[in-house]
Amino acid sequence: MRSGRTTLSKFLIDQLHGQTDQGQLAGLLVDIAAAIKAIAAATAKGALEGGHGYAGGDNVHGERQMQLDLLADTLMIEHCEWGGLVAGMASEEHAQPIGIPPDVQRGPYLLVFDPLDGSSNVAMNVAVGTIFSVLRHPHADAPTPADFLQPGAQQVAAGYAIYGPATMLVLTVGKGTHGFTLDREVGNFVLTHPDIRIPEDSSEFAINTSNERFWEPPVQRYVAECKAGASGIRGRDFNMRWIASMVADIHRVLMRGGVFMYPRDYKDPGKPGRLRLMYEASPIALVVEQAGGAATTGRQRLLDVRPESLHQRVPVILGSRHEVERIARYHAEYDNGTDKPYFSPLFRDRSLYRAQA
Ligand code: AFP
């Protein structure tokens, strides 16, 4: 690594050295970082400019769109569409992929993003974030929606920004996970958290326990064992955190370990999970795996899930490797009927719980 402060650009020159698309991938990540700086500036204004309220409509998922959702979405598009580096983009805020302007050269990448994750928390001044995923565009023609439907393992880069007390950018290009802090005076992202490693063991879990009655038995079993603490089979006390802003919950897991769960539940049987595969689960799964953690639906490695649609939802369990492996084992034991009689047979056989991830 070069001497002095390592800025994002310097870091990318070193990380991507020798890669044939070094300049292009670095260029796109720098464009994304520029968008993130602009979104950071907008979120930091708080209510001062009156732009933090409800935008007056719903997005494609029927969720209330906040003014900042729309602004962040526009900023991502504007910063990334002109560089000749993307062939198309897809955003949580758009039903269909976003084309690039007709007079701009098509680039080799597809960019998928959630412009402002956790935006329902903005009014409470809770940390929010941006999540992004970079895929290779598989051919030279204009992309079709099907071109975006690549499993997370094929991502060439992924990451997130967190707009907290400090703005941080955490990313991976498949060579570890690295964190940068925005130096606001200078306007640079500076490498402050090289090679983040998630501890393999942890005594902290994050889940919205108000949904407990809707969870599948393996998740109920895991959380019940954590809550039993030192007097239960885990033999130690666990702590719980839930910020309800995925990026903030994930950032804590990266910084000190833990397991984050938004599992399958039957609150709304039509949805196999709350979080979206392509611009929430897959990019975060790559970041977590590259930091030594694990990421699963409970029944399948998240990075192996092949998307069937752009806005597909998926169960998400990720973080400290040994805890995630335990939860995956509980799912397997439940599915093949070898788990302890933790729940009554009547409960076990409910068909809703038998659906596959
Ligand atoms: P918003 O972007 O609509 O605020 O949703 C954020 C989120 O998808 C994710 O960041 C949280 O983990 C999750 O919602 C929290 O959901 P609950 O309110 O159901 O706990």
Side-chain angles (χ1 to χ4, degrees):
M1 196 54 66
R2 284 146 208 276
S3 59
R5 295 208 323 172
T6 303
T7 60
L8 178 66
S9 312
K10 276 190 199 172
F11 171 86
L12 290 171
I13 290 168
D14 284 333
Q15 274 262 306
L16 300 172
H17 181 70
Q19 213 166 296
T20 48
D21 63 347
Q22 174 191 4
Q24 288 174 309
L25 185 53
L28 178 55
L29 291 169
V30 167
D31 285 349
I32 294 169
I36 284 167
K37 288 179 209 171
I39 298 169
T43 54
K45 287 198 167 75
L48 286 177
E49 291 189 3
H52 279 200
Y54 175 41
D58 291 351
N59 67 11
V60 55
H61 317 283
E63 297 161 349
R64 284 162 63 92
Q65 259 176 333
M66 310 303 284
Q67 286 165 290
L68 266 182
D69 280 323
L70 300 181
L71 179 58
D73 185 64
T74 303
L75 289 169
M76 279 295 277
I77 296 169
E78 285 180 354
H79 279 83
C80 298
E81 69 182 351
W82 295 104
L85 298 169
V86 294
M89 292 175 273
S91 159
E92 184 192 19
E93 303 302 329
H94 298 254
Q96 296 298 324
I98 307 150
I100 57 167
D103 53 332
V104 172
Q105 192 191 331
R106 256 196 306 278
Y109 305 111
L110 302 172
L111 174 62
V112 185
F113 56 89
D114 179 352
L116 203 67
D117 184 67
S119 59
S120 58
N121 291 317
V122 161
M124 279 70 71
N125 202 13
V126 170
V128 292
T130 297
I131 309 174
F132 63 90
S133 162
V134 181
L135 299 162
R136 244 179 253 294
H137 180 37
H139 51 78
D141 299 330
T144 66
D147 292 328
F148 287 83
L149 305 183
Q150 304 179 31
Q154 291 182 17
Q155 293 169 104
V156 293
Y160 66 84
I162 177 166
Y163 311 110
T167 290
M168 283 190 69
L169 170 63
V170 175
L171 63 76
T172 180
V173 293
K175 298 174 186 171
T177 291
H178 310 277
F180 303 80
T181 303
L182 181 61
D183 181 338
R184 288 181 202 272
E185 280 74 47
V186 183
N188 275 338
F189 275 110
V190 178
L191 181 65
T192 48
H193 297 66
D195 204 12
I196 296 168
R197 304 304 293 168
I198 299 175
E200 291 188 331
D201 296 296
S202 163
S203 299
E204 192 162 81
F205 65 97
I207 191 166
N208 182 343
T209 50
S210 72
N211 293 325
E212 183 159 6
R213 66 195 183 283
F214 303 119
W215 298 337
E216 290 188 282
V219 174
Q220 293 192 342
R221 174 184 173 189
Y222 176 78
V223 172
E225 289 176 359
C226 291
K227 289 200 292 190
S231 55
I233 71 151
R234 300 303 306 270
R236 64 182 196 271
D237 289 333
F238 280 70
N239 189 24
M240 198 214 80
R241 287 283 183 275
W242 186 249
I243 300 172
S245 182
M246 185 195 193
V247 162
D249 279 311
I250 294 300
H251 193 66
R252 186 190 56 255
V253 167
L254 279 160
M255 292 297 105
R256 69 180 190 199
V259 58
F260 169 92
M261 291 172 276
Y262 216 115
R264 171 188 287 278
D265 63 40
Y266 72 97
K267 190 175 185 179
D268 180 349
K271 294 179 184 165
R274 164 96 161 86
L275 302 176
R276 269 52 65 107
L277 173 60
M278 293 209 58
Y279 39 82
E280 292 179 320
S282 283
I284 298 296
L286 188 64
V287 164
V288 164
E289 280 204 4
Q290 286 291 316
T296 176
T297 65
R299 296 181 168 89
Q300 185 182 12
R301 180 183 176 228
L302 262 170
L303 290 179
D304 290 337
V305 178
R306 183 170 284 279
E308 289 168 5
S309 64
L310 206 52
H311 299 289
Q312 177 177 338
R313 296 173 192 261
V314 72
V316 172
I317 297 163
L318 46 75
S320 290
R321 171 169 298 283
H322 293 161
E323 292 302 311
V324 174
E325 287 171 354
R326 174 183 285 266
I327 300 165
R329 175 163 60 80
Y330 286 5
H331 281 77
E333 288 175 359
Y334 174 70
D335 288 347
N336 63 30
T338 58
D339 54 345
K340 301 268 185 314
Y342 188 79
F343 295 92
S344 78
L346 190 66
F347 192 78
R348 284 180 41 79
D349 288 343
R350 289 179 66 155
S351 58
L352 272 170
Y353 287 129
R354 285 290 176 191
Q356 295 300 301

